[in-house]
Amino acid sequence: MPKAVAFHGYRSSPSNINWLTRPLAESGFEVVAPSIRDVEDGYEAGVRELPVAVAAGHSMGGTVALLLAARNPGSVNCVVAVAAPVDRRLQLQYLLQSDDPYMKKLANHLASLGGKLEQTSPSRYIGNGMPPVLYIRGSADNVVPRIHVDILAGLSDKLNFPLEVVEIEGMGHSPQREEHVDRIADAVKKFVSRCGSTQS
């Protein structure tokens, strides 16, 4: 059975991403969903699972999934990233502009990482050998702006790896409504049926 590794978001838990792990399991993957603290910790947990057919994640976990594929060419068949920062310095700049208490807290956390932000940004490592990527975001996501999709699209054009972007109308940073969950499941199942069926 091919393996998928799925990462949750910051201060979340594996049980909170059932909407992501379920379609992977239903597609025939053995799904490993470690409990992680941050991107570095998640990356280390992911490396222990390599090779994998699919690396997936939400928000910070999507950053981990992209980083895992970018830094280990040939060890990940495809990536599913949902609302994931691609450039963490850029994400910090965006969060610093917000007056929202939650966003300020996130900004303080990222600011405390200093140089580690650059070292854990997938955009720094994506190169030749990057596998196909499915990037899903909500049109109403106010935590991770659309510019991260644009960065990924630019890298896809330059380096010639397949990128599929699915924008879900009305969804925020994570799926809250059943229709959003269904849209994600449908997109994930279609994508992994094409690229994740064989393990590296």
Side-chain angles (χ1 to χ4, degrees):
M1 182 183 288
K3 182 163 62 174
V5 60
F7 304 98
H8 60 78
Y10 180 59
R11 290 195 170 168
S12 186
S13 69
S15 63
N16 285 343
I17 54 164
N18 286 339
W19 49 266
L20 180 57
T21 55
R22 190 181 305 119
L24 291 169
E26 288 173 354
S27 296
F29 295 95
E30 172 201 347
V31 183
V32 178
S35 184
I36 62 173
R37 292 184 305 277
D38 51 39
V39 171
E40 280 188 307
D41 178 51
Y43 177 79
E44 287 167 15
V47 167
R48 289 193 289 272
E49 300 297 336
L50 293 178
V52 294
V54 183
H58 172 240
S59 194
M60 176 189 80
T63 301
V64 174
L66 288 164
L67 192 64
L68 194 64
R71 294 187 64 181
N72 299 279
S75 294
V76 177
N77 283 11
C78 58
V79 178
V80 177
V82 183
V86 178
D87 181 326
R88 301 186 81 205
R89 282 191 185 281
L90 205 62
Q91 180 63 12
L92 172 59
Q93 289 169 16
Y94 173 76
L95 292 172
L96 285 170
Q97 296 166 19
S98 175
D99 293 326
D100 180 84
Y102 173 71
M103 305 268 264
K104 280 183 177 295
K105 195 178 285 187
L106 276 179
N108 289 338
H109 166 67
L110 289 183
S112 73
L113 297 175
K116 285 183 181 177
L117 278 187
E118 178 73 22
Q119 293 160 21
T120 54
S121 286
S123 57
R124 178 181 174 184
Y125 299 98
I126 291 172
N128 292 320
M130 188 68 179
V133 176
L134 169 64
Y135 192 106
I136 301 172
R137 76 179 301 272
S139 67
D141 188 347
N142 65 346
V143 179
V144 178
R146 201 181 193 285
I147 192 166
H148 292 273
V149 177
D150 300 336
I151 293 167
L152 206 51
L155 289 166
S156 168
D157 289 344
K158 181 182 172 187
L159 298 164
N160 205 29
F161 64 88
L163 171 65
E164 185 179 328
V165 178
V166 172
E167 188 158 272
I168 300 177
E169 192 59 41
M171 187 177 95
H173 187 56
S174 58
Q176 302 295 332
R177 303 209 298 262
E178 201 59 45
E179 66 195 85
H180 298 157
V181 170
D182 290 345
R183 280 286 315 278
I184 290 172
D186 184 53
V188 168
K189 286 178 178 180
K190 284 179 179 168
F191 179 72
V192 299
S193 72
R194 295 194 300 272
C195 73
S197 54
T198 56
Q199 192 153 314
S200 297

